[in-house]
């Protein structure tokens, strides 16, 4: 369609209005013209995506004209938008003259939660991800034409609080912030692969290039602006080096200093003469001082309090700049012009995990130390403890930073596992409920004041996500409040005698939750397992028609964990014990040739077969010697035989049931921890595996020989796999990965179907079931989601 030329509209509107109208009105008219263009995507039976110019620039014109509204922030257009440009013009928690109101404003807030995963080349994937995030937030969207393969029905999944700025594969172990010469505020992150990156806090885009050392994990990072305009980062790595980098050019400053003990804490300061130095702590009794303009070591400061575990810099009331080192015995304060100021001995100090400097509203200069069970605030000039706040006996605070809020309050921001806590700097009192991240531990935290006056925290953690937290918010407003679901360790589905299908989810709180598959409506919850019970469940239908679930439970008489059988959906416990759960890795159920329903239990001692009606051991253990049977699957072959498939390190193979006779060997090399079975449309029975190498493999049953080439696409290891034949006759597999994606595969053609579905956190389980004759995928992670499946041919 020749009218799909955004550039022509811009040229025409600009020429028409630039002589007589102000620039804001020109931009508004351009945006309105592009909006009409975007709305005309369907002509008859043909559908046209928005042109590239519209996708990339329309939000800029709309924002400049003050008309960025629901025409541009809608579920139809957002999958096509340039994520970085829209993020830069919609700031979470800040008021801007964008024109966003009501539903569009709420949708923009929601979109920013998933924008870090936006893919310019795959609007389909973007549309499905946005729909799933919306379902998690209780903000359902109408399905769009872009959702051909994945369409969420319902979700109870923790989104967490805090916006994901960027995501990478390597864990982030160090974070700092800086303002570049062009005014951009960036987060500077160092990761386990020894790479330093800078991320634009407005757009989420990486600034410049990766700064790569020798491969040692970055343990600490600090930044500073120099007199000559350069912005420099200094890092300490576990390859025993200290390095400095120019953040704009990405080039090293000076040569790396090798052969030192690992620098586990780094701070920077600008001295009275305008020079800028870095101070490093190496878990020894000295601090090292570096010239950040040259990378040269200029001084060594010896302490009298033993090992220094953390370091920061601060300004005293008389203007002197000091380095403060903290260790198990107290604090050492050094004037950076080489004079020891004082040392404060604290006999019960304990280990110091983090330090940061700040200023109280009354002007006092303080440092905050975080430790195993408390946060302390110290007056740097006197050594007086201003505040001493316990954190709780099970909470260990790892890192700390300070900030000043818009209302003038000075705060300390502490990270402890997956929580970010804001405390009043003068009292140590918690000001707001902790921010929660549900994507692993927060191991690094930094703060920065933005040009609009807001203070934000930036965190990095185990799963490689860099998050931004608006410190003025106790929790995010709008439709992105955290769902109160719990992480799911195992998931199964079952068909009840009345025809309903249910999801059975085993949560980390050892509670089994039963939900209607089609609606997510809760039926019953019950505490079944103890803290040491196996993280494996299975469902079955007994010969008398009762639907049951197999799960671990505490036996008060035997003082041990046992596998119990519970009736669905009432949660009535049946008088059936399937043995103890010691060493149990996986459970599945099947039917033997004689018609009996059995549990196939994989454990470190091998595979056991037990009658589901009585609990009687039928056969086993088999599949030793030399290791367990994790995972295990079972199926009835087309010729009527029943087999079990195992993928342990030394016992991978196909086993006839109930005899335990080995029929074939699967050459999985011990890296498969996801397994299922299916009969392909051509009659072949296959096992489908996934594992640490992120590849999906097919194996012939019963011979165990590989079928075709491995299928690849996931960025990290595969944690779960399910397979089925869809109503149209196509055999598919659904895989869930630690990379927080779910993929659909055509097993006959050995290729992926459609784009991946991005989910809020790593996937721990998947199942395929039916709702009203339509296939759905059940996805488990930090919650549950049920998504309609399509092969793209309907």
């Amino acid at each position: 369609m020749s009218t799909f030329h955004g550039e022509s509209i811009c040229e025409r509107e600009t020429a028409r209005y630039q002589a007589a109208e102000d620039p804001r009105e020109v931009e508004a008219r351009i945006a309105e013209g592009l909006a009409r263009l975007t709305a005309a995507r369907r002509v008859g039976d043909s559908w046209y995506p928005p042109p590239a110019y519209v996708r990339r620039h329309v939000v800029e014109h709309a924002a400049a004209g003050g008309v960025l509204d629901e025409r541009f922030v809608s579920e139809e257009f957002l999958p096509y938008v340039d994520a970085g440009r829209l993020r830069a013009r919609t700031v979470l928690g800040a008021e801007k003259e964008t024109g966003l109101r009501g539903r569009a404003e709420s949708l923009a807030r929601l979109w920013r939660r998933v924008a870090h995963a936006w893919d310019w080349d795959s609007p389909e994937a973007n549309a499905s991800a946005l729909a799933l995030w919306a379902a998690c937030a209780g903000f359902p969207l109408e399905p769009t034409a872009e959702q051909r393969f994945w369409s969420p029905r319902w979700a109870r999944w923790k989104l967490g609080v805090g916006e994901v700025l960027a995501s990478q594969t390597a864990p982030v172990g160090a974070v700092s912030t800086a303002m570049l010469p062009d005014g951009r505020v960036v987060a500077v992150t160092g990761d386990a692969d020894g790479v330093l990156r800078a991320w634009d806090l407005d757009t989420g885009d990486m600034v410049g290039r990766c700064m790569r050392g020798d491969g040692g994990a970055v343990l600490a990072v600090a930044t500073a602006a120099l007199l000559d305009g350069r912005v420099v980062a200094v890092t300490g790595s576990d390859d025993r080096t200290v390095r400095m980098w120019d953040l704009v050019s990405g080039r090293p400053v000076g040569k790396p200093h090798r052969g030192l003990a690992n620098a586990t804490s780094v701070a920077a300061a600008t001295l009275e003469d305008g020079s800028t130095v870095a101070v490093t702590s190496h878990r020894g009794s000295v601090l090292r001082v570096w010239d950040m303009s040259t990378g040269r070591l200029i001084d060594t400061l010896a302490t009298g309090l033993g090992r220094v575990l953390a370091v920061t810099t601060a300004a005293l009331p008389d203007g002197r700049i000091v380095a403060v080192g903290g260790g198990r015995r107290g604090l050492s304060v050094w004037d950076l012009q080489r004079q020891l100021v004082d040392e404060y001995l604290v006999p019960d100090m304990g280990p110091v995990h983090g330090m940061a400097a700040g200023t109280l509203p009354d002007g006092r200069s303080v440092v905050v130390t975080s430790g195993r069970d408390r946060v302390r605030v110290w007056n740097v000039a006197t050594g007086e403890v201003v505040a001493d706040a316990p954190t709780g006996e099970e909470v260990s605070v790892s890192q700390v930073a300070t900030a000043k809020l818009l209302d003038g309050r000075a705060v300390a921001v502490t990270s402890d596992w997956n929580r970010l806590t804001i405390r009043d700097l003068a009292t140590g009192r918690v000001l707001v409920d902790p921010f929660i991240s549900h994507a692993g531990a927060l191991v690094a935290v930094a703060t920065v004041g933005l040009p609009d006056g807001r203070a934000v925290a930036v965190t990095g953690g185990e799963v490689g996500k860099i998050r931004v937290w608006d410190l003025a918010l106790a929790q995010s407003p709008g439709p992105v409040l955290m769902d109160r679901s719990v992480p799911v360790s195992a998931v199964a589905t079952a068909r009840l005698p009345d025809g309903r299908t249910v999801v059975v989810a085993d949560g980390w709180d050892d509670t089994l939750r039963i939900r209607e598959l089609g609606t997510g409506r809760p039926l019953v919850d019950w505490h079944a397992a103890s803290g040491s019970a196996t993280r494996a469940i299975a469902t079955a239908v007994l010969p008398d028609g009762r639907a049951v679930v197999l799960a671990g439970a505490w036996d008060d008489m035997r003082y041990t964990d046992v596998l119990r059988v519970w009736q669905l959906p009432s949660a009535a416990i049946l008088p059936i014990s399937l043995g103890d759960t010691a060493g149990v890795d996986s459970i599945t159920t099947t039917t033997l040739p004689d018609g009996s329903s059995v549990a196939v239990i994989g454990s470190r001692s091998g595979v056991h077969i037990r009658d589901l009606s009585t609990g009687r051991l039928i056969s086993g253990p088999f599949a030793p010697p030399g290791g367990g049977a994790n995972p295990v699957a079972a199926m009835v072959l087309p010729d009527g035989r029943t087999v079990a498939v195992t993928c342990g390190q030394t016992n991978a193979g196909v086993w006839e049931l109930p005899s335990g006779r080995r029929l074939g060997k699967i050459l999985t090399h011990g890296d498969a921890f996801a397994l299922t079975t299916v009969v392909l449309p051509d009659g072949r029975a296959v096992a489908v595996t996934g594992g640490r190498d992120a590849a999906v493999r097919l194996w012939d049953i019963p011979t165990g020989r590989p079928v075709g080439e491995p299928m690849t696409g996931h960025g990290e290891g595969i944690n779960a796999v399910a397979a089925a034949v869809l109503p149209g006759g196509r055999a598919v597999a659904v895989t869930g990965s630690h990379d927080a994606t779910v993929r659909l595969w055509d097993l006959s053609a050995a290729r992926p179907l459609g784009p991946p579905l991005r989910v809020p956190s790593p996937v721990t389980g998947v199942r395929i079931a039916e709702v009203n004759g339509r296939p759905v995928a059940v996805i488990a992670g930090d919650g549950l989601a049920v998504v309609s499946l399509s092969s793209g041919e309907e």
Side-chain angles (χ1 to χ4, degrees):
M1 294 179 66
S2 61
T3 58
F4 274 19
H5 293 291
E7 297 90 337
S8 299
I9 287 182
C10 292
E11 292 170 2
R12 184 176 69 248
E13 297 289 346
T14 302
R16 181 178 177 185
Y17 296 109
Q18 64 184 357
E21 309 286 355
D22 63 58
R24 185 179 175 89
E25 185 171 346
V26 173
E27 293 283 4
R29 291 180 182 272
I30 292 172
E32 288 167 0
L34 295 177
R36 291 194 298 272
L37 184 65
T38 303
R41 291 193 296 157
R42 186 171 293 281
V43 178
D45 293 331
S46 299
W47 175 82
Y48 300 87
Y53 185 90
V54 175
R55 295 177 61 187
R56 200 172 293 281
H57 296 291
V58 68
V59 296
E60 294 176 321
H61 293 298
V67 293
L68 184 58
D69 55 27
E70 66 277 357
R71 293 171 295 178
F72 312 101
V73 180
S74 66
E75 51 264 52
E76 291 82 10
F77 182 67
L78 282 175
Y80 293 92
V81 77
D82 183 295
R85 295 171 193 264
L86 182 56
R87 287 179 90 166
R89 286 158 181 82
T90 56
V91 179
L92 186 66
E95 294 295 331
K96 282 202 170 186
E97 294 182 13
T98 60
L100 291 177
R101 300 292 184 270
R103 185 179 187 276
E105 183 180 20
S106 295
L107 183 57
R109 289 181 180 276
L110 174 64
W111 171 81
R112 287 184 65 90
R113 295 305 179 95
V114 66
H116 68 281
W118 233 231
D119 185 348
W120 172 268
D121 295 321
S122 185
E124 284 185 274
N126 297 340
S128 298
L130 179 62
L132 180 63
W133 254 257
C136 294
F139 190 72
L141 304 178
E142 290 296 323
T144 63
E146 291 82 3
Q147 294 172 237
R148 293 193 301 149
F149 293 89
W150 312 97
S151 183
R153 299 180 66 94
W154 59 270
R156 306 288 186 273
W157 198 298
K158 290 179 185 246
L159 294 179
V161 178
E163 179 185 311
V164 176
L165 178 69
S167 187
Q168 58 184 68
T169 56
V172 176
V175 173
S176 186
T177 57
M179 178 177 286
L180 300 185
D182 60 8
R184 286 181 294 175
V185 181
V186 298
V188 182
T189 62
D191 63 33
D193 292 337
V195 179
L196 197 71
R197 295 177 174 89
W199 307 91
D200 189 312
L201 283 184
D202 269 347
T203 67
D205 297 330
M206 193 173 79
V207 177
R209 61 186 183 183
C210 295
M211 293 159 277
R212 191 179 300 274
D214 292 334
V218 178
L219 304 175
V221 60
T223 62
L226 307 189
L227 278 175
D228 59 12
R230 289 180 296 165
V231 180
V232 174
V234 56
T235 62
S237 302
D238 70 359
D239 58 4
R240 302 169 66 87
T241 63
V242 172
R243 299 173 184 270
M244 295 188 194
W245 303 89
D246 185 318
L247 290 179
V248 175
S249 68
R251 296 188 179 94
V253 176
K255 296 181 179 180
H257 289 258
R258 307 176 189 276
L260 305 172
N262 292 338
T264 55
S265 184
V266 179
T270 300
L271 304 183
E272 298 96 313
D273 61 4
S275 62
T276 306
V277 298
V279 184
T280 58
S281 162
H282 302 258
R283 298 284 175 127
S285 60
V286 298
L287 301 176
R288 289 180 171 87
V289 185
W290 310 81
D291 183 338
M292 292 188 71
S293 65
T294 64
R296 185 172 57 89
L297 177 65
I298 59 176
D299 206 354
T300 300
L301 309 177
T303 74
L305 296 179
R307 297 175 64 195
V308 178
L309 304 177
V311 65
T312 190
T313 58
L316 295 184
D318 60 10
R320 287 180 297 168
I321 307 300
V322 297
V324 185
R328 291 178 178 272
R329 295 169 57 190
L331 301 183
S332 291
V333 182
W334 277 92
D335 185 325
L336 285 173
Q337 300 295 336
R338 304 188 180 188
Q339 180 182 357
L340 179 64
V341 176
D342 212 337
E343 291 187 326
Y344 308 120
L345 180 64
V346 182
D348 60 344
M349 179 79 167
V352 175
H353 295 159
M355 290 185 73
T359 303
L360 298 183
D362 62 11
R364 283 180 294 171
S365 181
V366 297
V367 294
V368 187
T369 60
S370 60
R372 181 173 52 232
D373 59 357
R374 60 204 324 105
V375 173
R376 288 187 176 97
V377 182
W378 310 73
N379 185 323
V380 180
T382 66
E384 171 197 4
V385 177
V386 176
D388 188 347
T391 60
E393 61 181 64
E394 296 182 359
V395 177
S396 178
V397 176
S398 60
Q399 293 296 320
V400 62
T402 63
K404 186 176 182 180
L405 303 185
L406 274 171
D407 61 9
R409 287 179 297 174
V411 298
V413 183
T414 60
S415 67
D416 38 272
W417 181 234
N418 67 343
R419 305 191 312 170
L420 203 69
T421 303
I422 305 174
R423 299 173 181 272
D424 185 282
L425 192 56
T427 65
R429 181 175 59 87
V430 175
L431 294 178
V432 298
D433 292 336
F435 294 101
I436 305 293
S437 167
H438 296 283
L442 304 175
V443 298
V445 59
T447 56
V448 65
L450 300 183
D452 61 12
R454 290 179 304 133
V456 300
V458 182
T459 60
E462 290 181 337
V463 298
K465 292 190 186 298
I466 301 103
R467 291 181 180 264
V468 180
W469 318 71
D470 190 326
L471 297 181
L473 302 176
Q475 56 189 7
S476 295
V480 290
L481 296 177
M482 181 186 68
D483 187 274
R484 294 191 177 276
S485 61
V486 299
V488 174
S489 55
V491 65
T493 61
R495 191 169 183 85
L496 303 183
D498 61 10
R500 290 180 298 168
T501 302
V502 297
V503 178
V504 184
D506 183 9
W508 282 12
D509 58 356
D510 298 318
T511 297
L512 287 173
R513 291 169 170 82
I514 313 300
R515 302 287 182 265
E516 280 191 351
L517 180 63
T519 66
R521 184 174 70 89
L523 298 180
V524 67
D525 298 345
W526 78 90
H527 188 82
S530 73
S532 60
T534 179
R535 293 298 181 187
I537 59 175
T539 59
V541 177
L542 300 184
D544 60 12
R546 288 179 294 174
V548 297
V549 60
L550 288 59
W554 179 254
D555 189 316
D556 288 326
M557 300 296 294
R558 297 170 56 189
Y559 291 95
T560 187
D561 291 308
V562 297
L563 280 174
R564 286 288 190 188
V565 181
W566 313 74
Q567 186 169 335
L568 293 173
S570 66
I573 187 168
L574 302 182
I576 302 169
S577 174
L578 302 177
D580 64 50
T581 64
V584 171
D585 295 315
S586 58
I587 314 167
T588 189
T589 60
T590 190
T591 303
L592 296 183
D594 63 5
S596 57
S597 296
V598 297
V600 182
I601 305 166
S603 70
R604 285 193 293 270
S605 62
V607 176
H608 302 73
I609 312 299
R610 287 184 176 269
D611 190 296
L612 277 178
S613 298
T614 65
R616 179 178 61 88
L617 179 67
I618 295 176
S619 66
F622 57 85
N630 183 21
V632 63
M635 71 181 307
V636 179
L637 300 181
D639 62 12
R641 288 181 295 171
T642 301
V643 296
V645 182
T646 59
C647 287
Q649 291 187 355
T650 60
N651 58 12
V654 183
W655 312 82
E656 187 176 48
L657 298 183
S659 67
R661 182 171 64 92
R662 193 178 206 169
L663 302 178
K665 183 177 182 180
I666 295 177
L667 302 175
T668 61
H669 308 292
D671 67 349
F673 28 74
L675 168 69
T676 192
T677 57
V678 68
V679 178
L680 302 182
D682 61 8
R684 289 180 298 167
V686 297
V688 188
T689 64
R692 186 173 292 108
D693 65 356
V696 180
R697 289 178 167 85
L698 270 62
W699 311 86
D700 178 72
I701 297 177
T703 66
R705 298 190 183 98
V707 177
E709 295 297 319
M711 296 178 283
T712 59
H714 282 296
E716 296 185 55
I718 296 171
N719 296 329
V721 61
V725 178
L726 300 186
R730 173 175 281 178
V732 300
V734 173
T735 53
S737 169
H738 200 73
D739 67 3
T741 65
V742 180
R743 285 185 174 267
L744 182 65
W745 310 86
D746 183 328
L747 294 181
S748 297
R751 63 181 179 87
L753 288 172
L757 174 65
R758 305 185 191 104
V759 298
S761 55
V763 178
T764 58
V766 294
R767 290 290 187 272
I768 298 177
E770 286 189 359
V771 175
N772 299 326
R774 303 286 294 179
V776 298
V778 182
I779 307 166
D782 277 348
L784 280 175
V786 173
V787 179
S788 295
L789 282 179
S790 171
S791 63
E793 297 179 338
E794 288 83 351

